[in-house]
Amino acid sequence: MDAVAIASWGLGILLALMTLLFIFRIVLTWYPQTDLNRFPFNLIAIPTEPFLAPSRKIVPPLGGVDITPIIWVGIFSLLREVLLGQQGLLRIMF
């Protein structure tokens, strides 16, 4: 395997993992009493909060529902498709 293949493989795993974490974060919003600072939940909150905190300043909650995790799932899914999809930039270039 060359360096580009390894990099695209690693990038694919990273983007998929972040998408999965944001999906878990969406599920956690259904349970507002959940303490995100406790052990199993902080594994989801710590990597996603740096993306969500600035986004919440731009996109306010709609009807009391925080939609920023949904936006980030879309962004990461789009990035994964544009870069690594069947017609993705990294596949076309290399």
Side-chain angles (χ1 to χ4, degrees):
M1 288 180 93
D2 60 339
V4 175
I6 294 171
S8 64
W9 182 76
L11 184 63
I13 289 176
L14 177 70
L15 291 173
L17 179 66
M18 287 305 292
T19 303
L20 187 65
L21 286 174
F22 279 111
I23 290 171
F24 286 147
R25 189 69 187 248
I26 291 168
V27 172
L28 285 177
T29 61
W30 298 344
Y31 303 100
Q33 74 277 8
T34 304
D35 183 15
L36 294 177
N37 295 322
R38 300 209 48 198
F39 169 62
F41 307 116
N42 66 355
L43 295 176
I44 298 167
I46 290 172
T48 57
E49 194 61 33
F51 295 97
L52 295 175
S55 302
R56 287 186 188 117
K57 294 177 184 172
I58 298 170
V59 181
L62 296 174
V65 178
D66 183 18
I67 62 166
T68 54
I70 299 168
I71 293 170
W72 280 105
V73 165
I75 290 171
F76 277 107
S77 297
L78 178 68
L79 275 174
R80 187 167 186 223
E81 187 61 33
V82 165
L83 294 175
L84 303 169
Q86 203 145 29
Q87 302 273 327
L89 293 175
L90 291 178
R91 297 228 186 209
I92 292 172
M93 289 174 45
F94 303 104

